[in-house]
Amino acid sequence: MNNLTGACSSSMRCVSGVVQTTQRPTLGCNTWLFTCSLFPRSNVYYLSLNISQCCSDHEDFFDGYDSIMGDSSFLAKLDDVELKAEHENVCFDPPAAKSIIKHSRDDDLTDSIFTEDFPDTSLRDLPSSQLAFHQDVANPKRQPGVGMENTSTPDIKHSKQPPVPALHHKKTASKARRSMTDQLKKAMLENAGTSSKVSKTAQHKEAVMSEEISVAMQVFESVSMEGDLGPFFGLPSKVKDLIMRLKGIQDLYDWQKACLDLDSVKQRKNLIYSLPTSGGKTLVAEILIFKELLCRKMDALLILPYVALVQEKVRGLASFGIELDFMVEEYAGSKGKFPPVKRRTKKSLYITTIEKGHSLVNSLIETNRLDSIGLVVVDELHMLGDGSRGAILEMTLAKVLYINKNTQIIGMSATLGNIRDLQRFLKAENYTNDFRPVELKEYVKLRDSIYEVDPKEEQCFKFSRLLDFKYSSGMQKMDPDHIIALVTEVIPQQSCLIFCATKKNCENVAAMICRYLEKNFLVHKQKEKATLLAELKNSGNGSLCPVLQKTVPYGLAYHHSGLTSDERKLVEEAYSSGVLCLLACTSTLAAGVNLPARRVILRSPYVGVDFLKRSQYKQMVGRAGRAGIDSVGESILILQEKDKEMVNISILFSCHIHCSVYFHKSLYSSINGLHMFHEQVTDFMSGTLLSVQETQACQQKSLKELTVDSIEVLKQKGLIEALSTITDEPSLQVTRLGKATYKGSVDLSYCDILYRDLSKGLEGLLLNSFLHLVYLVTPYDMVSQSKPDWMLYFTQFTKLSTAEQKMATTIGVPESFVARKAAGQSVRKSMDALVVNRLYLALVLYSLLRETSLWSISDRFQLTRGFVQTLLSSASAFCSCVLHFTEELEEFWAYKALLTELTRRLTYCVQTELIPLMEVTHVCIFAFFVLQASQIVASAKMLLQEKAEALQEEVDDLLMLPVDLPSV
């Protein structure tokens, strides 16, 4: 409070014994309202200094510098109030005022976050300063400064209201009593050097936690091979209590304890650990992350494969961040700041997708801050083999290994075949265990027979049983694979997942099963299913999918990307709670949220048109078996005779994890981030996974030859150039276009096209409509996923304004062309298909921005609502990329302000006034379950804390003396 008090202009008034002062310091978008008041309680007058926050966007924090100390009118009014109090024979205790003012320096905004479950409602509305005064009166012998260090968030949940004794006026014979003015001046001057006090309960808790952290940090500094690192694997016992309270985990599995006690973990060596799905791998990683944040005081990076997983993990760990005082920052879609905010006190856990994690590491390298990352955790490490995304992940890890040897890397996965190659690449040790909380039995179905998967057998299959289910001729035609027989063995009392090759197949399978289920399925949890249907309809603003309307009453549903995120969440919650007993889903569910089942059925050994990979198979069958519910889990793969041999290879096959087709992209990333000479590039590439697998992946050319060829490709694209040096060794210099491409994380395939489109856009940018800007940020990689309906295209085109139609003609799509295509006529002049199809998707996005109703837009353009939502999220992410791209090129300065606002609009796609509310994670779900409600609260607290931290950082920067300031 001392700094804020001295930095604010003030206006005050006295009404009925209340002195109020309105201070208006502004910082960013916040204005603080200070209210100083006197009020009687139990024959004692209290001095209260309250702080509230208002909004103001563009004011200077130190504008009109002034001080309460200099406001003689305020002090005069205080004297008047004091005289009035004396006249009424009520004593005002100056030391109490001093204590109260001293305590008011605590951040009321932060305190208010932690006052849930306050036991005494009579004190619930009192500021923390008054609570501290009560404690002072009740404990007069407590010495100031005794106890733990200060905290901005004192724990007042368990503090009790002490009795307030009546204070009687005492006359002093030795010297005259000083006036209130003198007392207030003296108290305020002493505030600057005085620490705030907290309750004994808070002091005790903070003391225990701080002592445990200090012990753990000391042990970390002198790591021993023997003994524990602390009460809970080097962490304070509060972490164990939080895991129990927030996750419901009473104790760790034996393998988890063994893994955390490994010498490699204690010595902070790189580690790869592999266990079956549902074995509890994530908890081990989270404990190691907490240890890095709390004990070593270093930032941590957690890389996950999908946006949905990032969002789920952010929600789950936000509560830990609030309780343990660290930041949880989301880097997915359009979210994330590059470089991240440099925090002076709190440490950050960055939770990112593969692409955002790469951009984050690049920004830290560029600002020489990579050493702030003490730990990198990669979930689903087998993603290294996922084409271009695998190449990005490989380069991210290779850069960390090359630049900062002290950063620990932890990789985990359920399916790793070539672990030795990964160990060499990451210079890591390995821990493997086959533990599963529930036993898994794997089967395959051929015709009407069930075979158990047994690698020890010659054919890998061992006969188990025959299916015993009577089919009518009609059923046999509708269900030749006997899916109904397989599912009715477990549902509705137990759960079942059916993985299908395509989205349409999911819907067809769910609908087909319903046709032949008995009517008693309708009675099972009938009320809960009716509630679910109402919630689904509410999420669609009155619209409900006809397939779900038919299947949900039977306890069945489908789950794929064609559903909106709200619908998927509702279906997942209903399945987890037992309202739904069966989900027909695509393979993406196996890689996403954890929805276990008693039985998992794989409809065919295909994902789309591609044959099933071992990693995909293991992820799907890993969902079988619910810990704490089932004693065993079953998986059944339905096979045709023609696929039998291929499945034998696929199930037992361990593929290598890299593909040289993405080599030049990987090489470009390394040159951009590290600015190397030719020889340094070669040296860097020798530390990659591709180098480890050179004999398998580089059969036609050596790694060195591939490096030289890729450098030439990058030169031709204008992304790098060779500069001569004194040593005659050419240095590889990144061009302006290369730096923009690198900063924006733009795919190399589209960087030159994007530059051309942005340059052409400047020639006649349409500013009275969003359409032109939306077209410029429509993702190139989404164009191939949808073909225009030419009649719909023409209908929407004719609804555009004259200026918008002119813009469409300028970019290369005239109305005459669309009209001819809609009429089915041939077009002589060829058009760029990329431009034409991209404008069609831009019309979808433009309509969505204007109406915000996803259902109506999907119906209008005959697209699935899931695809429209995916298009929207991809556009918001690409808009953020284009924004960073334009920031590096001076000629595109005009785009910065335009794209900043458009990114926000695309991210939330709501009315402007609702955007701040939508920033709170999970708030868009229509039906709040208990877990979701607690996650919303934690997310709101974390968001508020992050904004407060940013404001405090700005204050610290403003108050910091310049480095070059001459000493007096």
Side-chain angles (χ1 to χ4, degrees), residues 521-532:
F521 276 82
L522 295 170
V523 181
H524 184 72
K525 296 195 174 183
Q526 186 174 8
K527 183 178 178 181
E528 292 88 342
K529 288 183 286 193
T531 302
L532 174 60

Side-chain angles (χ1 to χ4, degrees), residues 397-410:
L397 297 176
K399 289 176 184 178
V400 174
L401 289 167
Y402 187 81
I403 294 177
N404 191 16
K405 310 292 184 185
N406 296 323
T407 299
Q408 185 183 17
I409 297 177
I410 304 291

Side-chain angles (χ1 to χ4, degrees), residues 279-292:
K281 298 183 295 296
T282 303
L283 182 59
V284 171
E286 290 175 355
I287 291 174
L288 293 176
I289 288 172
F290 295 153
K291 189 181 293 187
E292 197 69 24

Side-chain angles (χ1 to χ4, degrees), residues 663 667 678 681-682 685 702-712:
F663 182 80
L667 182 67
H678 271 276
V681 172
T682 304
M685 294 305 298
S702 67
L703 180 61
K704 188 172 183 178
E705 291 173 329
L706 282 173
T707 301
V708 173
D709 291 348
S710 295
I711 289 175
E712 291 303 317

Side-chain angles (χ1 to χ4, degrees), residues 421-622:
D421 289 347
L422 296 176
Q423 282 185 261
R424 287 177 58 195
F425 166 47
L426 296 176
K427 302 175 180 59
E429 297 192 12
N430 177 46
Y431 177 84
T432 303
N433 196 304
D434 59 359
F435 170 82
R436 272 184 59 92
V438 178
E439 181 187 1
L440 172 63
K441 292 186 177 181
E442 300 175 47
Y443 300 94
V444 296
K445 175 188 168 298
L446 279 167
R447 294 179 294 275
D448 57 351
S449 299
I450 305 294
Y451 298 85
E452 185 176 356
V453 176
D454 187 356
K456 298 178 183 179
E457 293 289 326
E458 183 177 353
Q459 298 295 322
C460 296
F461 303 137
K462 182 173 67 175
F463 178 78
S464 176
R465 64 186 175 93
L466 287 172
L467 271 179
D468 184 18
F469 190 87
K470 299 188 182 215
Y471 269 61
S472 64
S473 58
M475 284 182 66
Q476 186 65 38
K477 290 180 181 179
M478 291 292 297
D479 183 24
D481 294 322
H482 307 101
I483 294 176
I484 297 174
L486 294 173
V487 301
T488 50
E489 289 179 345
V490 291
I491 64 170
Q493 279 71 29
Q494 294 174 313
S495 58
C496 181
L497 293 175
I498 304 178
F499 286 102
C500 303
T502 64
K503 290 183 284 188
K504 191 63 179 175
N505 193 223
C506 293
E507 300 176 29
N508 291 339
V509 167
M512 182 267 295
I513 294 174
C514 288
R515 290 184 59 182
Y516 295 100
L517 289 180
E518 298 178 359
K519 298 300 181 184
N520 59 359
F521 276 82
L522 295 170
V523 181
H524 184 72
K525 296 195 174 183
Q526 186 174 8
K527 183 178 178 181
E528 292 88 342
K529 288 183 286 193
T531 302
L532 174 60
L533 284 173
E535 291 169 346
L536 287 168
K537 189 173 183 179
N538 187 28
S539 72
N541 293 326
S543 300
L544 179 63
C545 171
V547 177
L548 291 177
Q549 188 173 15
K550 179 181 178 182
T551 62
V552 167
Y554 286 90
L556 279 63
Y558 67 89
H559 184 290
H560 57 61
S561 61
L563 293 173
T564 66
S565 59
D566 292 344
E567 289 174 317
R568 287 198 297 270
K569 285 294 179 185
L570 288 170
V571 168
E572 290 163 9
E573 287 289 344
Y575 176 81
S576 298
S577 61
V579 176
L580 298 176
C581 58
L582 183 146
L583 293 183
C585 51
T586 54
S587 60
T588 53
L589 184 138
V593 292
N594 186 19
L595 295 177
R598 174 65 171 79
R599 175 174 291 179
V600 171
I601 299 172
L602 280 69
R603 178 72 176 76
S604 71
Y606 291 89
V607 175
V609 296
D610 300 322
F611 204 82
L612 198 65
K613 297 178 183 177
R614 174 181 171 81
S615 60
Q616 293 171 324
Y617 170 79
K618 286 295 184 183
Q619 280 186 327
M620 292 179 191
V621 302

Side-chain angles (χ1 to χ4, degrees), residues 65 123 186 251 275 478 526 587 780 838 869 960:
Y65 181 90
L123 293 181
K186 184 175 182 296
D251 195 13
L275 284 94
M478 291 292 297
Q526 186 174 8
S587 60
Y780 294 100
R838 193 170 177 229
Q869 192 171 57
M960 185 178 296

Side-chain angles (χ1 to χ4, degrees), residues 395 658-672 678 681-682 685 690 698 701-721 732 748:
M395 284 300 106
H658 200 282
C659 185
S660 59
V661 70
Y662 301 103
F663 182 80
H664 64 277
K665 294 184 180 181
S666 303
L667 182 67
Y668 166 69
S669 171
S670 66
I671 295 172
N672 256 301
H678 271 276
V681 172
T682 304
M685 294 305 298
L690 181 60
C698 309
K701 291 185 178 181
S702 67
L703 180 61
K704 188 172 183 178
E705 291 173 329
L706 282 173
T707 301
V708 173
D709 291 348
S710 295
I711 289 175
E712 291 303 317
V713 171
L714 297 175
K715 287 180 182 178
Q716 292 172 10
K717 293 183 75 70
L719 300 173
I720 63 173
E721 58 186 359
L732 298 176
L748 299 188

Side-chain angles (χ1 to χ4, degrees), residues 19 122 132 243 333 465 470 539 561 589 638 714 718 773 870 923 953:
V19 182
S122 64
I243 291 175
R465 64 186 175 93
K470 299 188 182 215
S539 72
S561 61
L589 184 138
I638 298 176
L714 297 175
L773 283 174
T870 301
V923 82
E953 293 289 339

